[in-house]
Amino acid sequence: MEDFLQHIDTLTINFALGAVIMPLLAAIVNRCLPANSKPSGWISTLAILVSAVLSIFVFAKVWNQHEVHQQQVWFTIGNTSVYTGILLNNLSVLMLVLVSLVALPVHIYSTAYMKDDDRYGRYFVYLSFFCFSMLALVVVDNLVLFYAFWELVGFSSYLLIGFWYTKPKAIIANKKAFIMNRIGDIGLLTAIAILFASYHTFDIEQLFGANGVVKSAAISSNWQYVACIGLFLAVAAKSAQFPLHTWLPDAMEGPTSISALIHAATMVAAGVFLLGRFYPVFTHDELTILAIIGCFTAFMAATIALTQNDLKRILAYSTISQLGYMVMAMGIGAYSSSLFHLATHAFFKCLLFLVAGIVIHEVQHMKDEYNLHIDPQNILYMGGLRKKMPLTFIASVVGGLALFGFPLTSGYLSKDGILIQSFEWAEGKDWLHKLIPIGALLTSWLTAFYIARLVIKVFFGEFKAAQFDPAIKLHVSDGKWQYRVPLVLLMGCSLFPLFSINPILYEKAWIFNGFSVITALDRVNIYHTILPLLVNLVGVIVMYWAYAIYIKEKALPLPESGFLFRFSYREWYFDKIYQKVIVLPVIALSKFTRWFDRNILDGFIHLLAKIGIGGSKIAEWCDRYLIDGFLHLLASITLGIGNFARRFQNGKVQYYLFSMLAIILAVFIFKILIY
């Protein structure tokens, strides 16, 4: 029996590895093909389909059963051995199946959405590599590889956000995303270094498992704070939380299909997944700070989404807001609800982005056909599309209701669970703590308004762009089957049956019950009965108010001028503040350092060079005219003496006798003269 279980575990490990490696193989194969190769799309789609099937098998073998952990020595430094392996527990396999299942409809959708792009094949290289990075991130069992794949997720997202590299906005957006994520990466690397220095292991199971050393032995308080700050920076960067959230709306410059994947279950989900992995590190006070930041981010992003007109930008701020819910849930101890909302959000947010992609695609065709000077992503130029695009309209309604948390949708179970538990958490605490559930409740109603505004502006009324040309006729549709099939699949996944047979009680959801409640929250019946009714009743009123404003034009509209409108429309001025407080000073500092380097450092070096050249010229003159001149003088004197002495050696005997006689006479005379 034990051998049989070991065989099953080995098979599970192999299947998990297969699920991870398949997208990498697809990326390698597609990279060997031409950049515009059409088979690339189906190669990547087949690979992610196989990954999804293998992930489902792994999920079935691990979920709520024993975890599977297999490792071997990777390398050894001194007395420290670093192991590498696969860790499959409920968190790992949930993310494994979630990433692959959400990526599958995105791949199918992309085969049609990107078919006219000149770099079609290269797109699928990046897409497959992106999926490989995320799938590997969720199953690795040590912090070294975790960090490596964390970086690869950021790098591959950088490639995809800037895929249309001829667009200046796309290049600015991917640079912005890359730089902000590097800030988070520095924080994560710092936290990993502190954990290793404190516990002498990179093993995730040894650190954070049920009997992990983090629970039994705390880090010294100062290093604890530093590690948690580093982890928060990593979460804030990847999951776009305040204050590192501004990159995500700009990331919409990439293809819409990529926006769907980034916002659903891959890059932005990595931050919440990191919280789930490192959760035991945080103390009660640190979790409270997380809850405050998450709540603030959710509320702030929702207020910004109220006034935006760019279709994808509204959904981007919606993503930031929902991620704020997840971080807040982690902070209040609603660990299971946070991961539950991560899973449900992946499907309905992917659905909404694919809807946005179809709408933008069709409006772009209208723009090209009638030579309209409009922005195909601006909802102010849309309207009246529901009759021409019925499936897309239904998908937008289902996704929008799930985003708000309407009954019978998956969002109702996960989002209302967070709201209920937030009020339970604040029970008995001071009024400052109660601001968190109140802020989350207000955010839910804001969500109802901006998603209703989006659906109404796009699908109801008349096609606004017709005002530019009365002869315009709507030639739009739901598109090819590659558009329709993903919408149908994701709509099914956005309803409650996938997650629970009970559409009302979030406690009955299988994901919620798959994770132990780390911070106990007592059930308070009044919140479980009154709160869902209050949320949905007011939410329906708010959605009807939006309908009355934009369609019936009978309700008092929101002011489209004044400080509050500008404050929301300008996105709380965060970009301007960062531009003035951080970017411009950094640019000024870089210009100063450039001037200092060019004029002071380089000037000093150039001065030394000139002094050296001048000294060398003086040395050359001294060498040539003094030293060489003296040597030449000696040589000339020696030559002269030699020439003079040579005259006495002429080979004549009589001359020699005469010379001897002359010398003797000279000596004799000299002697007489002296004495």
Side-chain angles (χ1 to χ4, degrees), residues 19-31 40-49 51 99 103 107 110 120-136 152 156 160 258 261 266:
V20 172
I21 292 173
M22 286 304 298
L24 177 62
L25 294 177
I28 294 172
V29 171
N30 289 337
R31 187 64 182 84
S40 298
W42 294 111
I43 292 172
S44 291
T45 303
L46 179 61
I48 201 66
L49 174 62
S51 290
V99 171
H107 277 71
S110 296
Y120 177 87
R122 197 65 71 244
Y123 167 86
F124 281 98
V125 173
Y126 298 162
L127 182 60
S128 292
F129 187 71
F130 188 28
C131 292
F132 158 72
S133 302
M134 189 64 197
L135 289 170
L152 287 180
S156 50
L160 288 166
I258 290 307
L261 195 57
T266 50

Side-chain angles (χ1 to χ4, degrees), residues 353-524:
F353 266 106
L354 296 190
V355 165
I358 295 173
V359 171
I360 293 168
H361 189 266
E362 295 299 312
V363 174
Q364 179 67 49
H365 282 316
M366 294 285 294
K367 175 185 176 181
D368 296 339
E369 181 180 356
Y370 292 99
N371 195 26
L372 301 174
H373 299 287
I374 63 172
D375 179 2
Q377 295 185 190
N378 193 323
I379 62 174
L380 298 181
Y381 298 114
M382 300 178 188
L385 300 180
R386 74 182 190 281
K387 294 181 180 179
K388 297 290 184 177
M389 308 171 69
L391 180 62
T392 306
F393 168 65
I394 294 171
S396 70
V397 171
V398 172
L401 292 176
L403 176 65
F404 163 64
F406 198 76
L408 304 183
T409 65
S410 60
Y412 171 83
L413 293 170
S414 59
K415 190 175 180 181
D416 276 21
I418 293 175
L419 287 173
I420 291 169
Q421 290 174 89
S422 67
F423 276 92
E424 293 175 350
W425 172 82
E427 184 72 18
K429 294 183 173 66
D430 57 34
W431 66 272
L432 288 173
H433 287 80
K434 287 182 170 59
L435 289 178
I436 292 176
I438 292 172
L441 183 61
L442 292 175
T443 301
S444 181
W445 293 332
L446 293 175
T447 303
F449 186 89
Y450 72 67
I451 196 62
R453 173 177 176 265
L454 184 151
V455 174
I456 290 167
K457 286 280 190 181
V458 173
F459 292 100
F460 287 84
E462 300 297 329
F463 188 61
K464 306 300 187 301
Q467 61 186 329
F468 296 100
D469 185 354
I472 289 179
K473 295 182 179 180
L474 281 176
H475 300 301
V476 296
S477 67
D478 292 314
K480 301 179 179 179
W481 70 267
Q482 292 102 316
Y483 291 158
R484 297 169 182 262
V485 170
L487 293 187
V488 173
L489 291 175
L490 291 169
M491 275 195 289
C493 295
S494 298
L495 301 176
F496 75 91
L498 179 64
F499 300 96
S500 175
I501 58 173
N502 189 321
I504 304 300
L505 299 179
Y506 67 86
E507 298 97 332
K508 300 298 182 181
W510 55 268
I511 292 182
F512 182 83
N513 293 310
F515 300 100
S516 59
V517 179
I518 297 178
T519 302
L521 297 170
D522 296 329
R523 181 182 178 92
V524 181

